Amino acid sequence: MIYRFLTTAFRILKKNLGVSLINILGLSLSLAVFLLILQFVSFELSYDTFHQDKEHIYRVESQFFKNEELTDDWATSSTGYGQALLEAFPEITAMTRLYSWNSERVIQYEDTKFREKQVVAADSAFFTFFSFPFVAGNPETALQEPNTVVISESYRQKYFGNEDPIGKTLKISDIQRTYICEVTGVFADFPVNSHLHYDIVYSWATVASHWKNMDTFWYKHSAYTYVSLPSPEATRRIEQQFPALAEKHKTAEALKDLVWGVQLTPLLDIHLNAWKAKEAEVKGSRKAVWFMSAMAVLIIVITWINYTNLSTIKSIERTQEVGLKKALGISKYNLVVQFLSEALLVSLLATILAIGITLLIYQALQQVGVSFPLRFTPEIVGIFLGLLLVGVIASGSYPALVLSSLSPIQALKGDAKQSVGGNGLRKALITFQFAASIVLISMAYLIYQQLRYMKTQDTGLATEQTIVINAPISTDHYYQDLESFKQELLRESGVKTMTYSSSVPGQEVGMFLSNKRKSSEENKLYEMLRTDYEYLDTYELTLLEGRNFSRDFKTDQDAVILNEESVAALGFASAEAVLDQEVKLETSKKNFKVIGVVENFHQTSLENPFTPVILFISPDFRWIPYHYLSVKLSGEDVASTLTAIEERWKQYFSTSPMDYYFLDEAFAQQYASEEFYEKVFIAASFFAVFISCLWLFGLTYYTVVLKRKEIGVRKVLGASSLNLVTMLSRNYVYLLVIALVVATPVSYVILRQWLQNYTFRTELSYEVFILPALFLFPIILLTVGSLTLKASRVNPTQALRYE
């Protein structure tokens, strides 16, 4: 019986091939877009869900308050927080830490040597606390001893090939020292949906063997600390009682006047929470996830209702068929099953096509930099099939029930127009589609404007023609070698200038110290940028007052240069007023003289606010190492200049690989997230408009069919083709105007809220609201007008003879 129903359904679809293709194509495109959005949303929501104890894990994040106002908020904590929390709060059942300070290291095994960015120290509980599976070794003991290291499966192949790495040694080097560590384990590569991504993990005990008070130190917030708790109520109690615990450990003057607090953030919330300083990953966006989810639901609901409406209108032509079947004794049940079979066949064909379209679109998105894993998990397949089933029942049942409820006489007369009405509903639906398209187009255009704004604004820094070289690992005469290397490069005609620094544009300065005016007791946190004499010239910072560091003044080693934010934070009224004043820097007993003030500059993306930055060159702070060497090129024969730089590098730093990048390209990478969402929203807008127009084409086609008698009469009475096009098109133009009235305030609220994510943002201009209308208006006229024009050119006698 099912075979008979499906065979009949196939014949009917084949008979109405044009409309069937519109239905299948529209449905398949909508299902493909829905499936892609579902994949993206599912992936973003899946971060860290693979851990067994995920609901009970929290990250300990540092917060500082002044007069009950939050002054600083970091993703990290100090190395001493974990042990103190474990001892003070018995409800904490487990704790683990990662020491993230300077995670970039040079790794060497025999002659194989690479600079790696994902290197971290972890305590011995890390691989039992989290569910990162081990491939070789014992996760419980692998990191217990000093000078031990575990590596990912990919890095086992990278360094050891097919050899067994267990028992072999790796050299782990940075600017200050080299650890020689025995490989005690291999772990599976961290999943892509983990907020942590490390390939080489050496033991906490390795660092602690050189830093005796590491477990009790509270003044270097460079650790990621995680605790396991039984309930959310326990987190609130710990957060409330932590300031009192901190008072016992605030033994230094730094930040003593601030209230130290913590925020215990659930593991499953970390990826989508708002960005904080010192994050371990590039964050996702919770707003974008919910917006995309709403869009997916919107698209699929519009699709099924459109399909139902088109099927209902189309069913008008089948009233006589239904009447004949009812007259022959076919039951209402069989008629409903027949219509459901047709809907099922369309859905099956659309699903097959949708999977193919999904794969094609996915490949296209990857080509333009929009990348996320394509995963057909049981949850995703279940949602998709469930949605398909609901759609089949909804879209097949309505026209079936309407037509099957007609009496045989009504049906044989073809009297079904009133029964299958719903004209108001269809207009409302079309208006709703237009409004949704308007919001999407506005969103895509605003993201484009904001991205262009951030990329074209003056950052206060010159990043062009600059290469950044990662600092070499420690040598016997490190600073002498650095200076000799620098002087050699400055003799090259292709090199304009060169500087060392602890950070470079595009990265957080990262190192915070608690400083104050000499005459004040109020400490505040400032970002400390250790540079040399050439930093201001290399990056062309604008001096507002005072002068640059100079080798002519030996006292400049005890001098600082401030940015405007630091001037304000220190409590000075102007840049001029701060000159020659003295400040006290944390960890030093000296007073540092202010010799200059530079204009605020954007160290990182314009998404972030200006921060107080202090530039200094003091050798007393060599524990804040130079991580980068920046070389400003003249632009002449860049290839030869790079070759010369590499030759000089091998001369002085043969034990270190020379890894470099062009700064302007790296600086632009900060906007990768905005570029991702720009592409996503543009693609979503395109498909939403295309799908809407496809259904609009089908609805207009059947509207024209239903009005063919009216069109014929008007033609006989002398109406021109233009009159007929205007008559049928104006209804859709009215609907577009209504959609604009409805969508504009909605767009305004959404877009204004979106812009609040950016400290420096573009204006919400009228173009954002006018562009969708200018885009949709000609598309609607083209879609509706082409069909109407074609119908108006038909001989009136052909139209009237059907009546």
Side-chain angles (χ1 to χ4, degrees):
M1 180 179 289
I2 295 175
Y3 175 77
R4 179 168 57 83
F5 281 125
L6 289 176
T7 303
T8 304
F10 180 77
R11 289 172 182 166
I12 292 170
L13 294 180
K14 186 177 179 181
K15 180 181 177 182
N16 301 278
L17 188 59
V19 176
S20 299
L21 289 176
I22 289 175
N23 278 335
I24 293 170
L25 181 58
L27 191 54
S28 61
L29 272 173
S30 301
L31 289 172
V33 172
F34 175 84
L35 186 56
L36 281 169
I37 294 177
L38 182 63
Q39 292 278 351
F40 167 74
V41 169
S42 171
F43 174 67
E44 288 293 295
L45 294 176
S46 73
Y47 265 72
D48 299 306
T49 55
F50 54 87
H51 294 293
Q52 292 180 1
D53 200 31
K54 52 187 177 291
E55 294 89 356
H56 301 292
I57 296 175
Y58 298 83
R59 184 171 73 179
V60 181
E61 301 174 350
S62 304
Q63 295 184 322
F64 299 91
F65 298 87
K66 180 76 171 180
N67 299 325
E68 299 185 354
E69 180 181 347
L70 181 66
T71 60
D72 295 277
D73 193 5
W74 301 337
T76 53
S77 56
S78 80
T79 56
Y81 278 19
Q83 195 62 38
L85 285 167
L86 199 59
E87 294 171 359
F89 300 102
E91 54 264 60
I92 296 178
T93 56
M95 179 274 297
T96 193
R97 296 160 296 179
L98 292 171
Y99 182 57
S100 64
W101 172 254
N102 188 20
S103 63
E104 187 171 277
R105 304 295 173 97
V106 173
I107 308 298
Q108 182 175 0
Y109 171 67
E110 295 181 345
D111 295 330
T112 303
K113 180 169 42 181
F114 295 100
R115 187 183 299 274
E116 307 291 2
K117 294 184 177 181
Q118 304 297 342
V119 183
V120 71
D123 61 26
S124 58
F126 181 75
F127 284 99
T128 54
F129 187 94
F130 289 111
S131 303
F132 297 116
F134 251 50
V135 176
N138 185 344
E140 295 182 2
T141 60
L143 294 176
Q144 280 186 351
E145 301 298 324
N147 302 109
T148 53
V149 63
V150 294
I151 59 177
S152 70
E153 201 163 12
S154 295
Y155 276 54
R156 178 198 64 78
Q157 184 67 33
K158 181 176 181 179
Y159 284 92
F160 298 99
N162 295 323
E163 296 181 38
D164 181 5
I166 304 298
K168 294 184 171 60
T169 57
L170 288 176
K171 289 184 178 180
I172 303 175
S173 305
D174 64 5
I175 297 166
Q176 296 169 314
R177 61 172 50 91
T178 294
Y179 299 123
I180 299 177
C181 296
E182 178 186 350
V183 178
T184 54
V186 178
F187 56 88
D189 292 358
F190 284 12
V192 291
N193 57 340
S194 169
H195 81 281
L196 296 173
H197 291 281
Y198 297 106
D199 292 296
I200 296 177
V201 182
Y202 61 102
S203 65
W204 185 276
T206 304
V207 183
S209 63
H210 296 273
W211 181 7
K212 298 304 181 183
N213 63 340
M214 185 178 185
D215 287 335
T216 58
F217 193 69
W218 276 55
Y219 286 90
K220 192 176 183 181
H221 291 71
S222 300
Y224 295 110
T225 303
Y226 300 86
V227 295
S228 182
L229 290 165
S231 67
E233 290 72 25
T235 67
R236 286 188 282 273
R237 190 173 82 83
I238 293 172
E239 288 173 347
Q240 291 170 358
Q241 296 183 9
F242 183 85
L245 175 65
E247 289 299 321
K248 301 176 183 178
H249 295 271
K250 290 160 56 178
T251 54
E253 288 299 315
L255 302 177
K256 201 164 189 177
D257 58 331
L258 297 183
V259 174
W260 292 27
V262 291
Q263 182 176 30
L264 300 183
T265 300
L267 176 68
L268 300 181
D269 291 345
I270 290 174
H271 177 66
L272 292 179
N273 275 2
W275 178 89
K276 290 186 176 184
K278 304 184 179 182
E279 285 286 1
E281 60 155 352
V282 177
K283 306 282 279 188
S285 169
R286 194 178 302 278
K287 288 181 181 178
V289 165
W290 291 121
F291 190 87
M292 295 292 286
S293 302
M295 186 166 60
V297 172
L298 186 69
I299 287 174
I300 207 66
V301 168
I302 286 174
T303 295
W304 282 120
I305 296 176
N306 268 323
Y307 173 58
T308 303
N309 278 329
L310 190 55
S311 299
T312 304
I313 296 174
K314 178 179 174 294
S315 66
I316 292 173
E317 295 184 331
R318 300 178 62 184
T319 53
Q320 291 182 334
E321 172 199 335
V322 171
L324 182 61
K325 288 182 176 180
K326 295 195 75 171
L328 293 174
I330 294 177
S331 67
K332 182 176 181 179
Y333 167 78
N334 283 335
L335 288 173
V336 171
V337 171
Q338 180 60 58
F339 277 94
L340 286 174
S341 299
E342 293 172 24
L344 177 62
L345 183 58
V346 169
S347 298
L348 289 174
L349 293 173
T351 300
I352 295 170
L353 186 58
I355 293 173
I357 293 173
T358 298
L359 296 175
L360 288 174
I361 296 175
Y362 181 73
Q363 290 177 356
L365 290 174
Q366 286 186 310
Q367 294 298 317
V368 296
V370 179
S371 182
F372 50 88
L374 204 59
R375 309 174 307 150
F376 291 94
T377 62
E379 294 80 9
I380 290 176
V381 173
I383 291 172
F384 187 75
L385 292 179
L387 178 72
L388 203 61
L389 180 62
V390 171
V392 167
I393 295 172
S395 61
S397 299
Y398 181 66
L401 292 173
V402 169
L403 289 180
S404 61
S405 64
L406 296 175
S407 68
I409 296 175
Q410 284 180 306
L412 286 169
K413 290 171 62 179
D415 188 14
K417 290 186 182 181
Q418 298 302 319
S419 301
V420 297
N423 191 43
L425 176 62
R426 282 189 286 277
K427 287 183 177 180
L429 175 66
I430 293 170
T431 304
F432 183 61
Q433 290 179 83
F434 289 162
S437 298
I438 289 166
V439 173
L440 283 174
I441 294 169
S442 297
M443 190 74 187
Y445 185 62
L446 180 70
I447 293 175
Y448 163 76
Q449 278 193 321
Q450 176 63 22
L451 185 60
R452 185 180 61 178
Y453 172 83
M454 292 192 294
K455 284 188 171 182
T456 56
Q457 289 299 296
D458 181 11
T459 62
L461 294 158
T463 58
E464 299 79 11
Q465 293 293 325
T466 303
I467 64 166
V468 175
I469 308 173
N470 296 91
I473 62 176
S474 179
T475 62
D476 292 337
H477 307 287
Y478 188 74
Y479 286 96
Q480 295 92 321
D481 290 342
L482 274 182
E483 190 59 29
S484 299
F485 175 70
K486 181 176 186 178
Q487 296 308 317
E488 289 275 358
L489 289 194
L490 292 176
R491 296 190 187 101
E492 294 289 335
S493 59
V495 175
K496 290 176 67 175
T497 184
M498 177 182 168
T499 186
Y500 321 130
S501 58
S502 57
S503 182
V504 291
Q507 299 181 359
E508 294 179 70
V509 174
M511 173 50 66
F512 290 84
L513 291 185
S514 176
N515 309 320
K516 61 184 179 181
R517 293 168 62 168
K518 179 184 176 182
S519 58
S520 172
E521 292 302 318
E522 184 179 18
N523 293 80
K524 290 184 179 179
L525 288 169
Y526 299 79
E527 291 195 89
M528 304 300 294
L529 181 57
R530 186 175 173 222
T531 66
D532 65 0
Y533 297 95
E534 284 72 38
Y535 189 86
L536 266 65
D537 293 335
T538 302
Y539 285 112
E540 300 179 21
L541 300 184
T542 303
L543 264 171
L544 298 177
E545 296 289 344
R547 61 176 177 82
N548 191 7
F549 297 114
S550 172
R551 288 182 172 83
D552 295 333
F553 298 93
K554 290 185 178 181
T555 55
D556 278 4
Q557 291 195 348
D558 296 330
V560 294
I561 294 176
L562 313 178
N563 72 342
E564 294 173 274
E565 285 293 311
S566 289
V567 173
L570 286 167
F572 290 97
S574 66
E576 186 178 4
V578 78
L579 288 182
D580 297 326
Q581 299 294 320
E582 292 184 330
V583 296
K584 299 185 75 67
L585 305 182
E586 185 184 352
T587 75
S588 177
K589 296 180 179 179
K590 295 179 180 178
N591 294 324
F592 287 78
K593 183 179 179 181
V594 179
I595 62 170
V597 176
V598 296
E599 190 178 75
N600 280 336
F601 53 92
H602 292 282
Q603 178 73 13
T604 57
S605 161
L606 270 73
E607 184 178 354
N608 305 320
F610 290 124
T611 55
V613 179
I614 296 180
L615 292 82
F616 65 104
I617 62 174
S618 174
D620 295 347
F621 288 82
R622 282 186 176 175
W623 57 273
I624 304 177
Y626 293 137
H627 289 299
Y628 303 100
L629 285 60
S630 303
V631 183
K632 179 76 72 176
L633 306 178
S634 65
E636 300 174 3
D637 198 358
V638 173
S640 297
T641 302
L642 290 175
T643 300
I645 294 173
E646 289 173 347
E647 290 175 356
R648 299 291 184 273
W649 181 273
K650 291 176 183 177
Q651 179 183 344
Y652 290 98
F653 309 112
S654 59
T655 57
S656 299
M658 179 178 153
D659 300 297
Y660 68 91
Y661 59 88
F662 283 89
L663 184 58
D664 53 353
E665 296 175 2
F667 197 85
Q669 283 300 308
Q670 296 179 102
Y671 302 112
S673 177
E674 283 74 21
E675 288 177 341
F676 172 83
Y677 288 116
E678 177 193 24
K679 292 168 184 174
V680 166
F681 281 111
I682 287 175
S685 301
F686 169 79
F687 283 112
V689 172
F690 182 80
I691 291 167
S692 295
C693 289
L694 188 65
W695 292 118
L696 183 61
F697 182 88
L699 290 170
T700 304
Y701 172 77
Y702 266 98
T703 301
V704 170
V705 169
L706 294 176
K707 288 181 176 289
R708 57 193 169 192
K709 177 182 177 181
E710 180 183 346
I711 291 172
V713 171
R714 287 180 181 272
K715 285 279 286 185
V716 170
L717 295 176
S720 66
S721 296
L722 181 61
N723 294 142
L724 294 172
V725 170
T726 303
M727 178 192 74
L728 292 178
S729 299
R730 65 188 176 190
N731 288 332
Y732 295 103
V733 174
Y734 292 154
L735 296 181
L736 177 59
V737 172
I738 294 171
L740 278 169
V741 172
V742 172
T744 299
V746 175
S747 296
Y748 178 81
V749 172
I750 293 174
L751 302 185
R752 187 175 178 80
Q753 182 65 28
W754 184 275
L755 283 177
Q756 297 307 310
N757 295 325
Y758 302 94
T759 304
F760 301 91
R761 49 185 177 263
T762 186
E763 295 293 329
L764 198 54
S765 64
Y766 66 89
E767 300 171 23
V768 175
F769 306 106
I770 293 177
L771 181 69
L774 296 177
F775 182 70
L776 289 173
F777 184 74
I779 293 177
I780 291 170
L781 287 183
L782 184 64
T783 304
V784 178
S786 60
L787 282 172
T788 308
L789 187 62
K790 181 180 179 181
S792 68
R793 289 177 175 173
V794 176
N795 191 316
T797 58
Q798 293 181 343
L800 292 172
R801 72 179 180 177
Y802 289 103
E803 300 298 326

